[in-house]
Amino acid sequence: MNMNILITGGAGFIGSNFIHYLSKEHPTYNIVNMDLLTYAGNLHNLDDLKDKANYNFVHGNITNQPLVEQVIRKYQIETIVNFAAESHVDRSILHPQIFVETNVQGTLVLLEAAKKFELRKFIQISTDEVYGSLGMTGYFQETTPLAPNSPYAASKAASDLLVRSYYQTYN
Ligand SMILES: NC(=O)c1ccc[n+]([C@@H]2O[C@H](COP(=O)([O-])OP(=O)(O)OC[C@H]3O[C@@H](n4cnc5c(N)ncnc54)[C@H](O)[C@@H]3O)[C@@H](O)[C@H]2O)c1
């Protein structure tokens, strides 16, 4: 089965590795990478893919609703995988606002678009940080209570809860 898939934050550390994985395992998928190219994004991570016909890069912000909708229409997107985030704990302590804008507002824009265009699948990339700190041993489970300890973790927990609520409310 083929798929048109929008990867957000694909120029970052994990997103670029995911795009490489996807294009290797599913060479016929049409991949659109939408990334704002903040200090954390590096398009050179994807140099080897840039000339492929079924890979496209869009320089843009996930909080930009008209742009997100335009991309979904243009590429007939069926699935979103949302890696885009402000992702560094220390920066969130200095500048929490941008974490709420990108991680919470940005996720909301993507969810609204997924609802509007009735996408098949929405995958949100979370973080273990939403569960707080482990001691020296042990592990988190999905049933572990949320206990974010930084503005970064709180913004990721908030976006996870929005995703959950869209699943429950809008299916
Ligand atoms: N790195 C980790 O250890 C880790 C662990 C658990 C979860 N995560 C989560 O995985 C995801 C990816 O993490 P990473 O380490 O690859 O992060 P990263 O900081 O390397 O990459 C984030 C990417 O998002 C882009 N971006 C930032 N704001 C954007 C916006 N408003 N619109 C579009 N693009 C934007 C950046 O340019 C960058 O390319 C994040 O959601 C993060 O919370 C990371």
Side-chain angles (χ1 to χ4, degrees), residues 5-138:
I5 181 163
L6 173 62
I7 314 287
T8 68
F13 169 49
I14 305 179
S16 59
N17 279 286
F18 181 69
I19 288 177
H20 279 123
Y21 167 82
L22 209 58
S23 69
K24 185 162 164 254
E25 295 295 318
H26 302 279
T28 60
Y29 279 16
N30 296 309
I31 299 171
V32 180
N33 172 16
M34 181 169 170
D35 196 300
L36 187 58
L37 297 180
T38 67
Y39 75 95
N42 184 353
L43 263 192
H44 290 308
N45 288 337
L46 297 159
D47 270 350
D48 53 326
L49 299 180
K50 68 177 193 288
D51 296 325
K52 286 188 73 171
N54 59 345
Y55 168 77
N56 286 283
F57 175 71
V58 177
H59 185 198
N61 194 326
I62 59 166
T63 62
N64 183 341
Q65 184 181 345
L67 179 64
V68 167
E69 293 190 1
Q70 185 189 321
V71 167
I72 290 174
R73 270 197 209 94
K74 177 173 178 186
Y75 295 102
Q76 299 179 4
I77 295 298
E78 303 161 278
T79 290
I80 293 177
V81 186
N82 181 26
F83 289 93
E86 287 290 335
S87 70
H88 293 113
V89 172
D90 292 351
R91 289 172 61 89
S92 81
I93 293 164
L94 293 173
H95 306 290
Q97 292 86 352
I98 186 67
F99 283 71
V100 173
E101 277 168 38
T102 293
N103 300 357
V104 184
Q105 183 64 24
T107 300
L108 183 64
V109 165
L110 297 174
L111 285 167
E112 272 297 299
K115 173 160 71 79
K116 179 170 178 176
F117 293 92
E118 299 183 347
L119 302 194
R120 284 171 46 196
K121 192 171 281 194
F122 187 103
I123 299 177
Q124 170 73 2
I125 306 303
S126 184
T127 172
D128 57 318
E129 303 256 353
V130 300
Y131 301 118
S133 304
L134 277 177
M136 295 299 283
T137 56

Side-chain angles (χ1 to χ4, degrees), residues 132-170:
S133 304
L134 277 177
M136 295 299 283
T137 56
Y139 49 87
F140 297 121
Q141 296 178 319
E142 289 189 358
T143 52
T144 302
L146 296 175
N149 288 331
S150 67
Y152 163 62
S155 68
K156 292 294 290 187
S159 59
D160 289 357
L161 294 177
L162 274 176
V163 175
R164 178 194 153 86
S165 77
Y166 267 62
Y167 177 69
Q168 296 292 340
T169 306
Y170 307 111

